[in-house]
Amino acid sequence: MKFFIDTADVAEIRDLAATGLVDGVTTNPSLIAKTGRDFFEVLGEICGLVDGPVSAEVAATDAETIVAEGRALAAVAPNVVVKTPLTPDGLKACRTLTEEGTPVNVTLCFSAAQALLAAKAGAAYISPFIGRLDDIGADGMQLVHDITELYGAQPEIETQVLVASVRHTMHVVDAAKMGADVATLPPKVLRGMFDHPLTDKGLEAFLADWRKTGQSILSGTAKGRAAE
Ligand code: E4P
């Protein structure tokens, strides 16, 4: 499973990209607004920080303007993926941009039927928003299950399932088990995946015991050197 980072915070992206675990980035208008910065400037910087796909969302709602905005965003860098909404106009624009060679991430997907339409429109990615479904008492993971099953049953579909609106570690683990291609993670969720109290406790005990030996791995020991 690929991990994308769901943020427009350049410092966060730089920091997490250094882990070697980040395959791409997703942004949306809310995340861009949070930075308080110029969209094109931020997008250019993000695209320079990661080799993988960087999703940038259009703000128009009619197909013609969505296509125009998509072209402008795609011109920023070769790794830009244009995000279009799951509406009739959004899918019409998805078809046009895809035919022009620009990959499209169809966003705001809340049903398997919508995911089927996005695949038909040639989307490179479909983004089911699982956390927002959980928020209203629905089952976000069930949607991921339905889409992976549906896409799996239709061999001609090449659209990748990009699990979005991820809230916690188990969303990621469950989505991976279901065969989703990508999960886009808020930085806090990615960092949280490292955590386990037994890892911290175990490491502390190993280091305490190691200190008692008085040895240093890099400099070697007197005993070790004598044996050489
Ligand atoms: C990513 O592409 C989505 O825009 C994002 O995951 C939405 O997450 P939210 O529901 O936490 O805003």
Side-chain angles (χ1 to χ4, degrees):
M1 168 181 256
K2 286 178 230 131
F3 287 167
F4 291 176
I5 297 297
D6 196 26
T7 183
D9 182 328
V10 172
E12 284 275 36
I13 295 166
R14 186 178 292 113
D15 192 46
L16 289 168
T19 64
L21 300 171
V22 175
D23 302 299
V25 174
T26 52
T27 67
N28 62 38
S30 306
L31 293 171
I32 295 292
K34 224 163 130 184
T35 68
R37 299 185 54 203
D38 177 79
F39 186 12
F40 282 88
E41 198 179 288
V42 175
L43 183 59
E45 281 179 35
I46 296 174
C47 290
L49 286 174
V50 292
D51 294 329
V54 176
S55 288
E57 190 161 341
V58 298
T61 53
D62 67 284
E64 198 183 327
T65 318
I66 291 174
V67 169
E69 289 187 351
R71 287 176 185 147
L73 294 171
V76 170
N79 52 339
V80 167
V81 171
V82 173
K83 263 173 122 176
T84 68
L86 212 156
T87 59
D89 280 71
L91 294 191
K92 196 173 162 194
C94 170
R95 164 68 58 210
T96 305
L97 289 165
T98 301
E99 282 171 2
E100 290 176 4
T102 297
V104 174
N105 172 359
V106 174
T107 190
L108 291 165
C109 171
F110 294 95
S111 78
Q114 289 179 321
L116 191 53
L117 292 175
K120 271 212 92 67
Y125 301 96
I126 183 67
S127 288
F129 275 36
I130 59 173
R132 292 192 193 189
L133 280 170
D134 291 353
D135 290 346
I136 60 157
D139 186 350
M141 289 318 306
Q142 182 60 45
L143 176 58
V144 177
H145 173 84
D146 291 346
I147 298 173
T148 50
E149 183 181 56
L150 188 160
Y151 282 10
Q154 302 287 327
E156 78 283 2
I157 292 180
E158 290 176 3
T159 305
Q160 294 190 47
V161 181
L162 194 172
V163 178
S165 189
V166 167
R167 301 277 195 258
H168 51 73
T169 300
M170 286 318 291
H171 273 160
V172 189
V173 172
D174 289 340
K177 283 187 195 167
M178 288 171 188
D181 302 281
V182 190
T184 188
L185 315 178
K188 198 174 145 203
V189 173
L190 178 55
R191 292 204 172 90
M193 288 174 71
F194 284 94
D195 296 341
H196 198 288
L198 290 180
T199 303
D200 298 340
K201 201 174 158 196
L203 182 59
E204 205 179 300
F206 284 153
L207 293 181
D209 288 341
W210 178 248
R211 275 193 296 275
K212 287 181 209 156
T213 71
Q215 299 179 53
S216 156
I217 292 172
L218 288 182
S219 59
T221 64
K223 214 167 149 190
R225 289 216 184 96
E228 280 169 10

